[in-house]
Protein backbone atom coordinates (compact mmCIF):
# COMPACT_ATOMS: atom_id res chain seq x y z
CA UNK A 1 0.00 0.00 0.00
CA UNK A 2 1.22 3.48 -0.87
CA UNK A 3 2.24 5.70 2.03
CA UNK A 4 -0.28 8.37 1.05
CA UNK A 5 -3.11 5.79 1.04
CA UNK A 6 -2.04 4.48 4.45
CA UNK A 7 -1.95 8.02 5.83
CA UNK A 8 -5.36 8.79 4.32
CA UNK A 9 -6.94 5.73 5.96
CA UNK A 10 -5.25 6.63 9.26
CA UNK A 11 -6.61 10.19 9.06
CA UNK A 12 -10.05 8.84 8.17
CA UNK A 13 -9.96 6.55 11.21
CA UNK A 14 -9.06 9.46 13.49
CA UNK A 15 -11.90 11.56 12.09
CA UNK A 16 -14.44 8.74 12.43
CA UNK A 17 -13.77 8.51 16.17
CA UNK A 18 -13.47 12.25 16.79
CA UNK A 19 -16.95 13.35 17.79
CA UNK A 20 -17.97 16.24 19.98
CA UNK A 21 -17.79 14.04 23.08
CA UNK A 22 -14.09 13.44 22.47
CA UNK A 23 -13.54 17.20 22.48
CA UNK A 24 -15.60 18.19 25.51
CA UNK A 25 -14.76 15.26 27.80
CA UNK A 26 -11.01 15.90 28.41
CA UNK A 27 -11.36 19.59 29.41
CA UNK A 28 -13.57 18.63 32.38
CA UNK A 29 -11.08 15.96 33.42
CA UNK A 30 -8.16 18.36 32.96
CA UNK A 31 -9.79 21.01 35.14
CA UNK A 32 -10.40 18.55 37.99
CA UNK A 33 -7.01 16.81 37.66
CA UNK A 34 -5.10 20.10 37.72
CA UNK A 35 -1.45 19.58 38.59
CA UNK A 36 -2.00 15.80 38.41
CA UNK A 37 -3.03 16.05 34.74
CA UNK A 38 -0.07 13.99 33.49
CA UNK A 39 -0.94 11.09 35.81
CA UNK A 40 -4.65 11.25 35.03
CA UNK A 41 -4.00 11.54 31.30
CA UNK A 42 -1.68 8.52 31.31
CA UNK A 43 -4.53 6.40 32.67
CA UNK A 44 -7.08 8.04 30.40
CA UNK A 45 -5.06 7.33 27.26
CA UNK A 46 -4.77 3.64 28.10
CA UNK A 47 -8.53 3.06 28.03
CA UNK A 48 -9.82 5.93 25.87
CA UNK A 49 -7.30 5.47 23.04
CA UNK A 50 -5.54 2.19 23.83
CA UNK A 51 -8.70 0.06 23.87
CA UNK A 52 -10.00 1.30 20.48
CA UNK A 53 -6.51 0.97 18.93
CA UNK A 54 -6.23 -2.53 20.40
CA UNK A 55 -9.63 -3.40 18.91
CA UNK A 56 -8.58 -2.20 15.45
CA UNK A 57 -5.41 -4.31 15.66
CA UNK A 58 -7.34 -7.44 16.67
CA UNK A 59 -9.92 -6.91 13.92
CA UNK A 60 -7.09 -6.62 11.42
CA UNK A 61 -5.53 -9.80 12.80
CA UNK A 62 -8.70 -11.84 12.23
CA UNK A 63 -9.09 -10.32 8.77
CA UNK A 64 -12.76 -9.36 8.89
CA UNK A 65 -14.99 -7.68 11.43
CA UNK A 66 -17.60 -10.37 10.86
CA UNK A 67 -15.08 -12.94 12.12
CA UNK A 68 -15.43 -11.41 15.58
CA UNK A 69 -18.68 -13.35 16.04
CA UNK A 70 -18.08 -16.20 13.59
CA UNK A 71 -17.70 -18.73 16.40
CA UNK A 72 -21.06 -17.79 17.94
CA UNK A 73 -24.36 -19.43 16.99
CA UNK A 74 -25.69 -17.57 13.96
CA UNK A 75 -28.77 -16.19 15.73
CA UNK A 76 -26.65 -14.87 18.61
CA UNK A 77 -24.09 -13.26 16.30
CA UNK A 78 -26.81 -11.59 14.23
CA UNK A 79 -28.54 -10.31 17.37
CA UNK A 80 -25.28 -8.81 18.64
CA UNK A 81 -24.54 -6.98 15.40
CA UNK A 82 -28.07 -5.67 14.97
CA UNK A 83 -28.10 -4.31 18.54
CA UNK A 84 -24.64 -2.81 18.14
CA UNK A 85 -25.28 -1.04 14.85
CA UNK A 86 -28.71 0.10 15.96
CA UNK A 87 -27.25 1.56 19.16
CA UNK A 88 -24.21 3.32 17.68
CA UNK A 89 -26.21 4.25 14.58
CA UNK A 90 -29.74 5.65 14.29
CA UNK A 91 -30.86 4.89 17.86
CA UNK A 92 -28.15 6.73 19.78
CA UNK A 93 -24.75 7.53 18.30
CA UNK A 94 -25.86 9.41 15.20
CA UNK A 95 -28.80 11.37 16.73
CA UNK A 96 -26.49 12.40 19.59
CA UNK A 97 -23.95 13.70 17.08
CA UNK A 98 -26.66 15.73 15.32
CA UNK A 99 -28.00 17.26 18.54
CA UNK A 100 -24.52 18.06 19.91
CA UNK A 101 -23.54 19.66 16.58
CA UNK A 102 -26.63 21.84 16.84
CA UNK A 103 -26.32 22.69 20.54
CA UNK A 104 -22.65 23.70 20.33
CA UNK A 105 -22.30 24.64 16.69
CA UNK A 106 -25.41 26.54 15.60
CA UNK A 107 -27.68 27.30 18.55
CA UNK A 108 -25.41 29.97 20.14
CA UNK A 109 -25.94 32.17 17.06
CA UNK A 110 -29.76 32.14 17.19
CA UNK A 111 -32.39 33.05 19.77
CA UNK A 112 -35.11 30.74 18.38
CA UNK A 113 -35.03 26.97 18.00
CA UNK A 114 -33.92 25.65 14.59
CA UNK A 115 -33.18 22.00 15.50
CA UNK A 116 -35.64 20.60 12.92
CA UNK A 117 -34.15 22.58 10.03
CA UNK A 118 -30.60 21.85 11.19
CA UNK A 119 -31.23 18.11 11.50
CA UNK A 120 -32.69 17.99 7.98
CA UNK A 121 -29.71 19.81 6.46
CA UNK A 122 -27.16 17.90 8.54
CA UNK A 123 -28.74 14.52 7.74
CA UNK A 124 -28.95 15.35 4.03
CA UNK A 125 -25.27 16.30 3.95
CA UNK A 126 -24.42 13.08 5.80
CA UNK A 127 -26.30 11.04 3.20
CA UNK A 128 -24.64 12.83 0.28
CA UNK A 129 -21.15 12.16 1.65
CA UNK A 130 -21.97 8.57 2.63
CA UNK A 131 -23.78 7.60 -0.57
CA UNK A 132 -20.57 6.62 -2.32
CA UNK A 133 -18.70 4.54 0.25
CA UNK A 134 -15.78 4.02 -2.10
CA UNK A 135 -14.96 7.73 -1.83
CA UNK A 136 -15.04 7.80 1.97
CA UNK A 137 -11.23 7.85 2.26
CA UNK A 138 -11.07 10.76 -0.19
CA UNK A 139 -13.89 12.72 1.49
CA UNK A 140 -12.75 12.31 5.07
CA UNK A 141 -9.14 11.13 5.01
CA UNK A 142 -7.82 13.55 2.42
CA UNK A 143 -10.09 16.59 2.72
CA UNK A 144 -12.12 16.93 5.91
CA UNK A 145 -9.60 15.53 8.41
CA UNK A 146 -6.68 17.80 7.46
CA UNK A 147 -9.01 20.78 7.84
CA UNK A 148 -10.19 19.47 11.21
CA UNK A 149 -6.63 18.89 12.41
CA UNK A 150 -5.70 22.42 11.33
CA UNK A 151 -8.53 23.90 13.40
CA UNK A 152 -7.71 21.74 16.42
CA UNK A 153 -4.03 22.62 16.15
CA UNK A 154 -4.92 26.31 16.31
CA UNK A 155 -6.92 25.76 19.50
CA UNK A 156 -4.27 23.53 21.08
CA UNK A 157 -1.36 25.84 20.28
CA UNK A 158 -3.23 28.80 21.74
CA UNK A 159 -3.59 26.91 25.01
CA UNK A 160 0.12 26.14 25.23
CA UNK A 161 1.36 29.55 24.01
CA UNK A 162 -1.11 31.77 25.85
CA UNK A 163 -2.88 29.83 28.66
CA UNK A 164 -5.73 31.55 30.47
CA UNK A 165 -4.61 30.25 33.85
CA UNK A 166 -2.39 27.78 35.67
CA UNK A 167 -3.32 24.25 36.79
CA UNK A 168 -4.78 24.17 40.29
CA UNK A 169 -4.51 21.47 42.94
CA UNK A 170 -6.27 18.18 42.08
CA UNK A 171 -9.93 17.96 42.95
CA UNK A 172 -12.04 15.01 44.16
CA UNK A 173 -10.76 11.53 43.32
CA UNK A 174 -7.81 13.01 41.44
CA UNK A 175 -6.30 14.02 44.78
CA UNK A 176 -5.33 10.46 45.70
CA UNK A 177 -5.90 8.24 42.65
CA UNK A 178 -5.31 10.26 39.50
CA UNK A 179 -4.19 7.34 37.32
CA UNK A 180 -7.10 5.12 38.37
CA UNK A 181 -9.59 7.95 37.88
CA UNK A 182 -8.16 8.55 34.42
CA UNK A 183 -8.50 4.86 33.57
CA UNK A 184 -12.15 4.87 34.63
CA UNK A 185 -12.96 8.07 32.75
CA UNK A 186 -11.27 6.74 29.62
CA UNK A 187 -13.26 3.53 29.77
CA UNK A 188 -16.49 5.49 30.13
CA UNK A 189 -15.92 7.16 26.73
CA UNK A 190 -16.90 3.72 25.35
CA UNK A 191 -14.99 4.28 22.12
CA UNK A 192 -14.12 0.58 22.17
CA UNK A 193 -17.65 -0.25 21.00
CA UNK A 194 -17.35 2.37 18.26
CA UNK A 195 -14.11 0.67 17.16
CA UNK A 196 -16.01 -2.57 16.55
CA UNK A 197 -18.55 -0.71 14.40
CA UNK A 198 -15.96 1.37 12.54
CA UNK A 199 -13.97 -1.79 11.88
CA UNK A 200 -16.32 -2.53 8.98
CA UNK A 201 -15.37 0.78 7.34
CA UNK A 202 -11.64 0.58 8.11
CA UNK A 203 -11.11 -2.98 6.85
CA UNK A 204 -13.23 -2.29 3.76
CA UNK A 205 -11.09 0.79 3.03
CA UNK A 206 -7.92 -1.31 3.36
CA UNK A 207 -9.28 -3.97 1.00
CA UNK A 208 -10.34 -1.28 -1.48
CA UNK A 209 -6.67 -0.31 -1.80
CA UNK A 210 -5.79 -3.82 -2.98
CA UNK A 211 -4.75 -5.39 0.33
CA UNK A 212 -6.63 -8.68 0.61
CA UNK A 213 -4.27 -11.14 2.30
CA UNK A 214 -4.64 -11.98 5.99
CA UNK A 215 -1.09 -10.86 6.72
CA UNK A 216 -1.44 -7.67 4.70
CA UNK A 217 -4.68 -6.60 6.38
CA UNK A 218 -3.17 -7.27 9.81
CA UNK A 219 -0.06 -5.22 9.00
CA UNK A 220 -1.95 -2.25 7.59
CA UNK A 221 -4.49 -2.33 10.44
CA UNK A 222 -1.67 -2.11 12.97
CA UNK A 223 -0.19 0.94 11.22
CA UNK A 224 -3.62 2.58 10.96
CA UNK A 225 -4.17 1.97 14.68
CA UNK A 226 -0.83 3.65 15.47
CA UNK A 227 -1.72 6.71 13.38
CA UNK A 228 -5.06 6.91 15.17
CA UNK A 229 -3.38 6.50 18.57
CA UNK A 230 -0.93 9.35 17.97
CA UNK A 231 -3.53 11.76 16.58
CA UNK A 232 -6.27 11.03 19.11
CA UNK A 233 -3.79 10.94 21.97
CA UNK A 234 -2.45 14.35 20.94
CA UNK A 235 -5.99 15.71 20.73
CA UNK A 236 -6.84 14.43 24.22
CA UNK A 237 -3.63 15.86 25.70
CA UNK A 238 -4.31 19.26 24.14
CA UNK A 239 -7.94 19.35 25.28
CA UNK A 240 -6.92 18.15 28.75
CA UNK A 241 -4.40 20.99 28.97
CA UNK A 242 -7.10 23.43 27.88
CA UNK A 243 -9.17 22.29 30.87
CA UNK A 244 -6.24 22.35 33.31
CA UNK A 245 -5.43 25.96 32.36
CA UNK A 246 -9.05 27.15 32.51
CA UNK A 247 -8.93 27.98 36.21
CA UNK A 248 -9.57 31.69 35.60
CA UNK A 249 -12.81 31.05 33.68
CA UNK A 250 -14.16 27.76 35.06
CA UNK A 251 -14.91 25.99 38.33
CA UNK A 252 -14.67 22.34 39.32
CA UNK A 253 -17.50 20.14 38.12
CA UNK A 254 -18.26 22.35 35.13
CA UNK A 255 -19.38 20.71 31.89
CA UNK A 256 -16.65 20.30 29.28
CA UNK A 257 -18.67 22.08 26.62
CA UNK A 258 -18.98 25.16 28.83
CA UNK A 259 -15.24 25.13 29.55
CA UNK A 260 -14.40 24.83 25.86
CA UNK A 261 -16.86 27.57 24.89
CA UNK A 262 -15.45 29.99 27.46
CA UNK A 263 -11.89 29.11 26.51
CA UNK A 264 -12.25 29.86 22.80
CA UNK A 265 -14.06 33.08 23.67
CA UNK A 266 -11.20 34.08 25.96
CA UNK A 267 -8.48 33.16 23.47
CA UNK A 268 -10.07 34.26 20.19
CA UNK A 269 -12.74 36.72 21.22
CA UNK A 270 -15.70 37.10 18.86
CA UNK A 271 -14.13 34.70 16.39
CA UNK A 272 -13.79 31.98 19.01
CA UNK A 273 -17.40 30.79 18.70
CA UNK A 274 -17.02 30.48 14.94
CA UNK A 275 -13.86 28.43 15.41
CA UNK A 276 -15.56 26.14 17.92
CA UNK A 277 -18.65 25.80 15.72
CA UNK A 278 -16.52 24.76 12.75
CA UNK A 279 -14.63 22.17 14.83
CA UNK A 280 -17.76 20.69 16.44
CA UNK A 281 -19.87 20.50 13.27
CA UNK A 282 -17.04 18.99 11.22
CA UNK A 283 -16.19 16.45 13.94
CA UNK A 284 -19.84 15.37 14.26
CA UNK A 285 -20.27 15.20 10.49
CA UNK A 286 -17.30 12.87 9.98
CA UNK A 287 -18.71 10.64 12.72
CA UNK A 288 -22.23 10.43 11.24
CA UNK A 289 -20.84 9.75 7.76
CA UNK A 290 -18.67 6.92 9.11
CA UNK A 291 -21.48 5.41 11.17
CA UNK A 292 -23.86 5.55 8.20
CA UNK A 293 -21.36 3.61 6.11
CA UNK A 294 -20.69 1.07 8.86
CA UNK A 295 -24.40 0.39 9.48
CA UNK A 296 -25.34 0.33 5.79
CA UNK A 297 -22.48 -1.99 4.86
CA UNK A 298 -23.50 -4.43 7.60
CA UNK A 299 -27.13 -4.58 6.49
CA UNK A 300 -26.04 -4.79 2.86
CA UNK A 301 -23.81 -7.80 3.54
CA UNK A 302 -26.16 -9.53 5.98
CA UNK A 303 -29.59 -8.95 4.49
CA UNK A 304 -28.61 -8.22 0.86
CA UNK A 305 -30.30 -4.82 1.02
CA UNK A 306 -28.98 -2.14 -1.34
CA UNK A 307 -26.51 0.31 0.19
CA UNK A 308 -28.41 3.36 -0.99
CA UNK A 309 -31.77 2.21 0.40
CA UNK A 310 -30.26 1.19 3.76
CA UNK A 311 -28.21 4.37 4.13
CA UNK A 312 -31.29 6.48 3.38
CA UNK A 313 -33.39 4.70 6.03
CA UNK A 314 -30.61 5.09 8.60
CA UNK A 315 -30.18 8.80 7.95
CA UNK A 316 -33.93 9.52 7.92
CA UNK A 317 -34.36 7.72 11.26
CA UNK A 318 -31.39 9.65 12.64
CA UNK A 319 -32.92 13.00 11.67
CA UNK A 320 -36.26 12.06 13.21
CA UNK A 321 -34.86 10.71 16.49
CA UNK A 322 -32.51 13.69 16.87
CA UNK A 323 -35.55 15.93 17.31
CA UNK A 324 -36.58 14.12 20.50
CA UNK A 325 -33.65 15.84 22.23
CA UNK A 326 -30.44 14.54 23.76
CA UNK A 327 -31.86 13.76 27.21
CA UNK A 328 -34.61 11.47 25.89
CA UNK A 329 -32.15 9.75 23.55
CA UNK A 330 -29.83 9.03 26.47
CA UNK A 331 -32.62 7.63 28.65
CA UNK A 332 -33.72 5.12 26.02
CA UNK A 333 -30.41 4.05 24.49
CA UNK A 334 -27.78 4.39 27.21
CA UNK A 335 -28.60 1.08 28.99
CA UNK A 336 -28.02 -0.88 25.77
CA UNK A 337 -24.74 0.94 25.12
CA UNK A 338 -23.53 0.25 28.67
CA UNK A 339 -24.14 -3.50 28.24
CA UNK A 340 -22.89 -3.77 24.66
CA UNK A 341 -19.56 -2.12 25.44
CA UNK A 342 -18.22 -4.88 27.75
CA UNK A 343 -19.65 -7.53 25.42
CA UNK A 344 -17.78 -6.05 22.45
CA UNK A 345 -14.52 -5.80 24.40
CA UNK A 346 -14.96 -9.36 25.70
CA UNK A 347 -15.37 -10.71 22.16
CA UNK A 348 -12.24 -8.84 21.10
CA UNK A 349 -10.33 -10.45 23.99
CA UNK A 350 -11.67 -13.86 22.99
CA UNK A 351 -10.54 -13.38 19.41
CA UNK A 352 -7.07 -12.28 20.47
CA UNK A 353 -6.39 -15.16 22.84
CA UNK A 354 -6.85 -17.84 20.22
CA UNK A 355 -3.36 -19.34 19.97
CA UNK A 356 -4.08 -20.36 16.37
CA UNK A 357 -6.48 -19.14 13.73
CA UNK A 358 -9.09 -21.51 15.18
CA UNK A 359 -11.43 -20.47 17.99
CA UNK A 360 -14.20 -22.33 19.75
CA UNK A 361 -17.92 -21.78 20.02
CA UNK A 362 -17.62 -22.68 23.71
CA UNK A 363 -15.18 -19.84 24.45
CA UNK A 364 -17.00 -17.11 22.55
CA UNK A 365 -20.47 -18.02 23.81
CA UNK A 366 -19.34 -18.34 27.44
CA UNK A 367 -17.47 -15.04 27.32
CA UNK A 368 -20.45 -13.25 25.75
CA UNK A 369 -22.91 -14.55 28.35
CA UNK A 370 -20.58 -13.62 31.22
CA UNK A 371 -20.06 -10.10 29.84
CA UNK A 372 -23.82 -9.63 29.41
CA UNK A 373 -24.60 -10.70 33.00
CA UNK A 374 -21.94 -8.62 34.74
CA UNK A 375 -22.20 -5.79 32.19
CA UNK A 376 -25.87 -5.50 33.11
CA UNK A 377 -24.89 -5.20 36.78
CA UNK A 378 -22.52 -2.36 35.89
CA UNK A 379 -25.15 -0.69 33.71
CA UNK A 380 -27.75 -0.72 36.49
CA UNK A 381 -25.15 0.76 38.85
CA UNK A 382 -24.11 3.51 36.44
CA UNK A 383 -27.74 4.44 35.85
CA UNK A 384 -28.25 4.72 39.62
CA UNK A 385 -30.97 2.05 39.67
CA UNK A 386 -29.19 -0.51 41.87
CA UNK A 387 -31.07 -1.25 45.15
CA UNK A 388 -29.15 -0.10 48.22
CA UNK A 389 -28.72 -3.59 49.69
CA UNK A 390 -27.48 -5.05 46.42
CA UNK A 391 -25.18 -2.10 45.89
CA UNK A 392 -23.55 -2.69 49.28
CA UNK A 393 -23.28 -6.43 48.58
CA UNK A 394 -21.62 -5.91 45.20
CA UNK A 395 -19.26 -3.31 46.69
CA UNK A 396 -17.98 -5.99 49.06
CA UNK A 397 -17.95 -8.98 46.73
CA UNK A 398 -17.36 -7.81 43.15
CA UNK A 399 -13.84 -6.58 42.27
CA UNK A 400 -13.83 -3.36 40.19
CA UNK A 401 -17.54 -2.80 40.87
CA UNK A 402 -16.93 0.79 41.96
CA UNK A 403 -14.94 1.33 38.74
CA UNK A 404 -17.97 0.12 36.71
CA UNK A 405 -15.90 -2.78 35.39
CA UNK A 406 -17.07 -5.72 37.48
CA UNK A 407 -17.48 -7.65 34.21
CA UNK A 408 -13.74 -7.66 33.50
CA UNK A 409 -12.28 -10.24 35.92
CA UNK A 410 -15.13 -12.80 35.60
CA UNK A 411 -14.94 -12.51 31.81
CA UNK A 412 -11.16 -13.00 31.78
CA UNK A 413 -11.52 -15.99 34.11
CA UNK A 414 -14.14 -17.62 31.88
CA UNK A 415 -12.00 -16.82 28.85
CA UNK A 416 -8.98 -18.54 30.39
CA UNK A 417 -10.90 -21.62 31.58
CA UNK A 418 -12.83 -22.20 28.35
CA UNK A 419 -9.75 -21.62 26.19
CA UNK A 420 -7.98 -24.40 28.08
CA UNK A 421 -11.05 -26.64 27.89
CA UNK A 422 -11.43 -26.07 24.16
CA UNK A 423 -8.00 -27.63 23.65
CA UNK A 424 -9.15 -30.90 25.23
CA UNK A 425 -10.09 -33.52 22.60
CA UNK A 426 -13.41 -34.44 24.24
CA UNK A 427 -14.49 -30.78 24.32
CA UNK A 428 -13.16 -30.01 20.85
CA UNK A 429 -15.29 -32.82 19.40
CA UNK A 430 -18.42 -31.40 21.03
CA UNK A 431 -17.94 -27.71 20.15
CA UNK A 432 -17.18 -26.37 16.69
CA UNK A 433 -13.77 -24.87 16.05
CA UNK A 434 -14.08 -21.99 13.59
CA UNK A 435 -11.38 -21.01 11.09
CA UNK A 436 -10.54 -17.29 10.97
CA UNK A 437 -8.79 -17.45 7.61
CA UNK A 438 -10.40 -15.40 4.87
CA UNK A 439 -12.80 -17.23 2.58
CA UNK A 440 -12.61 -20.36 4.73
CA UNK A 441 -15.32 -22.57 6.12
CA UNK A 442 -15.97 -23.75 9.64
CA UNK A 443 -14.15 -26.91 10.69
CA UNK A 444 -14.50 -29.51 13.35
CA UNK A 445 -11.36 -30.45 15.17
Amino acid sequence: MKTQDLLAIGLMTFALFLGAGNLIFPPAMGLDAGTSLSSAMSGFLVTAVGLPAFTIIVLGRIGSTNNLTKALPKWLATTFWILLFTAIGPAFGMPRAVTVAYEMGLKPFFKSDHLVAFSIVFSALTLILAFKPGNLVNYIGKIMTPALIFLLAGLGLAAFISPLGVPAAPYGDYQHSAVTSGLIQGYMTMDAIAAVGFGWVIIQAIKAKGVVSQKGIASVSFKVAMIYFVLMGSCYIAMGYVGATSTSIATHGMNGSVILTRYVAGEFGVYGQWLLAAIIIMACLTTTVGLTNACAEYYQQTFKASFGFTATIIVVLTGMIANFGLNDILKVSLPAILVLCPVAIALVFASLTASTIHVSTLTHTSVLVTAVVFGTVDAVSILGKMPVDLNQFFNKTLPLYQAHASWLLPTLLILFVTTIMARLPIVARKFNMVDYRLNSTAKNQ
Side-chain angles (χ1 to χ4, degrees), residues 97-413:
V98 175
T99 55
V100 170
Y102 171 73
E103 292 287 340
M104 294 188 64
L106 188 69
K107 189 175 181 179
F109 299 101
F110 296 92
K111 294 182 179 179
S112 55
D113 187 10
H114 297 283
L115 177 57
V116 174
F118 178 84
S119 62
I120 292 174
V121 174
F122 194 91
S123 298
L125 185 56
T126 295
L127 186 60
I128 291 171
L129 293 176
F131 216 76
K132 295 183 178 180
N135 293 328
L136 192 64
V137 175
N138 293 328
Y139 288 147
I140 297 181
K142 295 181 179 180
I143 300 174
M144 297 176 71
T145 310
L148 184 57
I149 291 175
F150 176 78
L151 295 173
L152 286 171
L155 179 59
L157 286 174
F160 283 99
I161 295 174
S162 178
L164 297 181
V166 295
Y171 176 78
D173 291 339
Y174 294 98
Q175 294 177 340
H176 48 80
S177 55
V179 175
T180 303
S181 297
L183 284 167
I184 296 171
Q185 296 301 319
Y187 169 72
M188 291 303 293
T189 64
M190 298 188 181
D191 271 356
I193 190 174
V196 174
F198 285 140
W200 288 78
V201 177
I202 297 167
I203 292 179
Q204 189 63 33
I206 293 173
K207 291 179 179 179
K209 296 301 180 181
V211 180
V212 294
S213 68
Q214 185 96 32
K215 185 177 180 180
I217 293 174
S219 175
V220 175
S221 297
F222 178 82
K223 295 173 183 176
V224 167
M226 292 302 99
I227 294 173
Y228 156 78
F229 187 92
V230 171
L231 290 175
M232 188 62 80
S234 300
C235 177
Y236 279 143
I237 291 171
M239 293 301 102
Y241 189 75
V242 164
T245 55
S246 296
T247 49
S248 65
I249 58 171
T251 57
H252 291 300
M254 186 171 285
N255 185 280
S257 62
V258 177
I259 297 172
L260 201 55
T261 300
R262 292 186 179 184
Y263 205 94
V264 294
E267 289 282 10
F268 301 98
V270 67
Y271 300 104
Q273 190 60 57
W274 290 103
L275 172 65
L276 182 60
I279 292 173
I280 294 296
I281 291 176
M282 191 171 293
C284 291
L285 183 61
T286 55
T287 298
T288 56
V289 172
L291 288 172
T292 300
N293 274 268
C295 295
E297 284 183 7
Y298 169 73
Y299 286 111
Q300 181 184 33
Q301 293 181 25
T302 305
F303 302 108
K304 309 303 179 184
S306 69
F307 182 92
F309 174 78
T310 306
T312 301
I313 294 299
I314 290 169
V315 170
V316 169
L317 287 174
T318 295
M320 294 172 61
I321 294 174
N323 284 278
F324 284 98
L326 186 58
N327 289 334
D328 288 338
I329 294 172
L330 286 171
K331 288 179 182 178
V332 174
S333 303
L334 187 58
I337 293 287
L338 292 173
V339 176
L340 282 171
C341 188
V343 171
I345 298 173
L347 289 174
V348 171
F349 283 159
S351 299
L352 178 70
T353 54
S355 58
T356 67
I357 53 179
H358 300 89
V359 295
S360 73
T361 300
L362 170 65
T363 297
H364 273 58
T365 303
S366 300
V367 163
L368 183 145
V369 171
T370 304
V372 167
V373 171
F374 288 93
T376 301
V377 172
D378 288 329
V380 173
S381 174
I382 293 170
L383 295 171
K385 302 297 184 180
M386 184 66 69
V388 176
D389 292 341
L390 276 179
N391 190 59
Q392 293 175 349
F393 174 75
F394 288 140
N395 268 322
K396 296 177 181 178
T397 58
L398 277 183
L400 302 180
Y401 175 74
Q402 292 184 336
H404 308 307
S406 62
W407 63 271
L408 182 59
L409 294 183
T411 300
L412 291 177
L413 177 62

Side-chain angles (χ1 to χ4, degrees), residues 18-59:
L18 185 65
N22 304 84
L23 295 175
I24 64 179
F25 201 89
M29 185 189 73
L31 180 63
D32 288 343
T35 54
S36 295
L37 175 63
S38 58
S39 298
M41 185 59 68
S42 64
F44 184 82
L45 293 178
V46 169
T47 47
V49 190
L51 271 179
F54 167 75
T55 300
I56 294 171
I57 292 170
V58 173
L59 293 177

